[in-house]
Amino acid sequence: MIVLDVQYVSKHFGRDAVLDGVTFQVHPGERVALVGPNGCGKSTLLRIIAGKEEADAGSATLHPSVHAGSFEQQVHLASAQTVYEEAKSALADLILLQEEAVAVAEAMAEAGEDDVQRLAARYDHLQQELARRDAYNLDHKVKRVLDGLGFPETSFRQPVESLSGGEQNRLMLAKLLLAEPNLMLLDEPSNHLDIEATQWLEEFLVESSAAVIVVSHDRSLLDRVATHTLELVHGTVDTYTGNFSAYWRQKQERLLVERRTYEKQQTEIAKAEEFIRRNAYGQKHAQAEDRRKKLERIEPVPLPREIAAPPMAFPAASRSGDVVVRTERLGKSFDKPLFSDVAFDICRGERWGLLGPNGCGKTTLLKCLVGLIEPDQGRPSLGHGVKVGYFDQHLYELHDDMQAVDAVRPPRGSIDIQTRRNLLGRFGLTGDTQLQPVGKLSGGERCRVALARLCLTEANLLVLDEPTNHLDLWARDALEQALLKFDGTVLFVSHDRYFVNRVADHLLVMESGRVRIIEGNYDAYQRAKASQEAPSPAAEPGEPSPDRRRQPSAPPAESNSKQRRRRFPFRKVADLEAEILQRETELERIHAELADGATHRDGELVRQLKGSIEEQKSALAALYEHWEEAVELNW
């Protein structure tokens, strides 16, 4: 059975073909990640499949027994109902079945002998359908989904019209999950979810029997959920087996082969053209003419399907004091206490991630640290020579009527226009886009302008509030690499676990009325939770945090008998990651060479390549262990 059959779908906006012959199929139980750069047509394709937009050509056909449900961003709910009533309305068909079953039972009690058998058969059918769809626990289902998506029970009676835009999006997602369609079309379902709610959603989708097509920039979600990956670029799709990480690996392998094949053909064509040019009128005229005819018959090898990532980079940072940020008994309340008695130090060169559920005060804490909000208690202090560059997730510092090339200009100092244009180019904004008013740029383009602006602040402390919002997968990867190479200090808030895991070497976790310090990245935090260890909390009132009140150059004290000893010599995490990337790239190159049919004509070369593969795998295994040790033990 084919749940969805998409054949040669095309869609134009003006002269530009956004979709140009998209073809693929989805089978029962498959969960498909639809990936591609911003603006490639992912949302348009989902809307065509959902029947909300017409294709210019081609078809998207659902199996007659399949019901599709879609979730998309920026939907306004005009409803007079409460949150709970609106969520339960997604189960209207089951409620009707329940009411019909009651009505049939009452009719049976009053029916004559001629009607009883017919009514009994109908009643049995209704009971089987209600049991199959678990319709006897509707209230439990509604509460489970609302709770999973971050709605506390106190909000169930809240009017829908009083919800924020993000809360309304979450409620629409809850209604889709409760409706349980055979095919779910999800466009950025985790945009307004915190990490805990996103993990709940992942488990829900994995446990569901529905087929799923999901567009998301959350690579951890795609890794957990997807069984297949569709890459949409240049109007067409390529299919990959597996989740996002499998796609990313296979994509690099394909690119190696595609580049080699393309370059080989271009070399052959150039040689043939040169031969024709030199011999068109000489003694080898016949051979030149023969080669010209062969050239005309050559089927051109298409260009590699590369998705260019912006070459982001931050300038070298000036040296600051050893302690970059220090907080002492920091606290802040608005309608309710957000945090109190928070104490920690951030040392030069460290990269800290700040985690916690929505509404716990992460942005408020950042603003207290950079002086945008006055704390109610305690005080933050910046070290000697610290220059802060602040990225606001709402991009308030960018004025809509200002051209992008002017928006990157720092408040002080004079930077010539060519320098600013070059800078925007490094962040993937080129040509006329640089002259567009900020208000007319997409969310991803506005985000890149704000990141480029940071480069001209001469900051050695980057404080970033949700910097990956609106960035596609390739831009996020580029930003991660830029932050890993930045030689200053970084403090950031992000719900992107993949980003947190790759960038952070320390975490500040706000949970259950306290702030905990984790030495390591997101994987270290997960291991600590899984083993029920208690990572060092921020200091109790009036007491310095034992693991952060230290001289930056001093080694960590061994706090207990479980402290690991080093198996490998000290190396920086960034250096290890660079060597790992180099060896992984070399391994992919060797695999590609081994896959070349011409290679197998040389038995000795095959043996050498297989030996090189084993050598690289052995070296990588040791590097992975060294990297894990460095992430856990380096200061």
Side-chain angles (χ1 to χ4, degrees), residues 587-631:
L587 184 60
E588 290 169 353
R589 186 198 65 76
I590 298 170
H591 274 298
E593 186 173 355
L594 188 60
D596 192 334
T599 301
H600 291 270
R601 299 177 191 145
D602 187 339
E604 180 59 30
L605 178 57
V606 170
R607 282 191 292 273
Q608 290 177 3
L609 290 174
K610 288 183 176 179
S612 298
I613 288 173
E614 292 307 313
E615 180 184 338
Q616 293 291 346
K617 285 183 175 179
S618 177
L620 278 168
L623 280 169
Y624 292 145
E625 292 181 12
H626 196 162
W627 178 86
E628 289 180 1
E629 179 184 90
V631 166

Side-chain angles (χ1 to χ4, degrees), residues 78-244:
S79 172
Q81 299 192 95
T82 66
V83 168
Y84 188 85
E85 290 167 343
E86 184 67 29
K88 194 171 182 177
S89 69
L91 301 171
D93 60 330
L94 291 182
I95 294 172
L96 287 175
L97 285 179
Q98 286 181 333
E99 293 173 350
E100 184 182 356
V102 171
V104 170
E106 291 173 349
M108 286 173 58
E110 299 176 359
E113 292 184 7
D114 294 340
D115 293 327
V116 167
Q117 189 172 359
R118 174 181 57 81
L119 290 171
R122 178 59 181 167
Y123 184 78
D124 287 344
H125 171 75
L126 289 171
Q127 290 300 315
Q128 290 174 10
E129 184 66 9
L130 289 169
R132 183 183 71 82
R133 298 179 63 181
D134 192 23
Y136 298 109
N137 298 293
L138 297 190
D139 288 330
H140 171 73
K141 292 174 72 170
V142 174
K143 290 177 181 177
R144 171 179 172 249
V145 171
L146 287 177
D147 180 67
L149 293 179
F151 286 98
E153 196 160 345
T154 54
S155 70
F156 287 4
R157 295 185 180 181
Q158 186 176 347
V160 170
E161 59 189 12
S162 70
L163 298 180
S164 68
E167 290 170 332
Q168 289 200 2
N169 270 276
R170 282 192 281 138
L171 184 53
M172 286 297 295
L173 178 59
K175 290 181 65 175
L176 174 65
L177 300 182
L178 285 166
E180 296 182 322
N182 310 98
L183 173 63
M184 296 189 196
L185 307 173
L186 305 176
D187 191 358
E188 294 290 354
S190 64
N191 259 12
H192 298 282
L193 303 182
D194 58 26
I195 290 177
E196 185 176 351
T198 301
Q199 290 174 323
W200 180 90
L201 174 64
E202 291 166 2
E203 293 305 316
F204 185 98
L205 295 176
V206 168
E207 293 171 3
S208 172
S209 60
V212 177
I213 302 179
V214 56
V215 171
S216 179
H217 292 152
D218 188 327
R219 292 159 291 181
S220 295
L221 182 149
L222 298 181
D223 268 350
R224 179 73 182 92
V225 171
T227 60
H228 297 75
T229 302
L230 287 177
E231 178 196 78
L232 176 59
V233 63
H234 306 317
T236 60
V237 296
D238 265 0
T239 303
Y240 294 80
T241 301
N243 61 11
F244 171 79

Side-chain angles (χ1 to χ4, degrees), residues 521-578:
N521 60 5
Y522 191 77
D523 281 347
Y525 173 50
Q526 291 294 88
R527 288 195 297 269
K529 287 176 64 177
S531 61
Q532 297 183 339
E533 293 177 357
S536 304
E540 295 298 324
E543 177 185 345
S545 177
D547 59 340
R548 299 305 303 164
R549 291 293 183 256
R550 56 178 171 84
Q551 293 297 322
S553 59
E558 291 202 358
S559 56
N560 55 52
S561 60
K562 294 183 179 179
Q563 180 72 29
R564 281 186 54 182
R565 294 182 179 276
R566 288 191 181 275
R567 292 177 51 214
F568 301 95
F570 178 89
R571 287 186 67 186
K572 292 182 179 179
V573 172
D575 292 344
L576 287 166
E577 289 173 341

Side-chain angles (χ1 to χ4, degrees), residues 8 105 359 377 589:
Y8 305 106
Q377 67 179 59
R589 186 198 65 76

Side-chain angles (χ1 to χ4, degrees), residues 240-259:
Y240 294 80
T241 301
N243 61 11
F244 171 79
S245 291
Y247 152 73
W248 198 261
R249 183 177 61 253
Q250 294 171 50
K251 175 67 176 179
Q252 303 312 310
E253 293 170 355
R254 285 194 192 184
L255 278 176
L256 282 172
V257 175
E258 288 173 358
R259 287 193 198 106

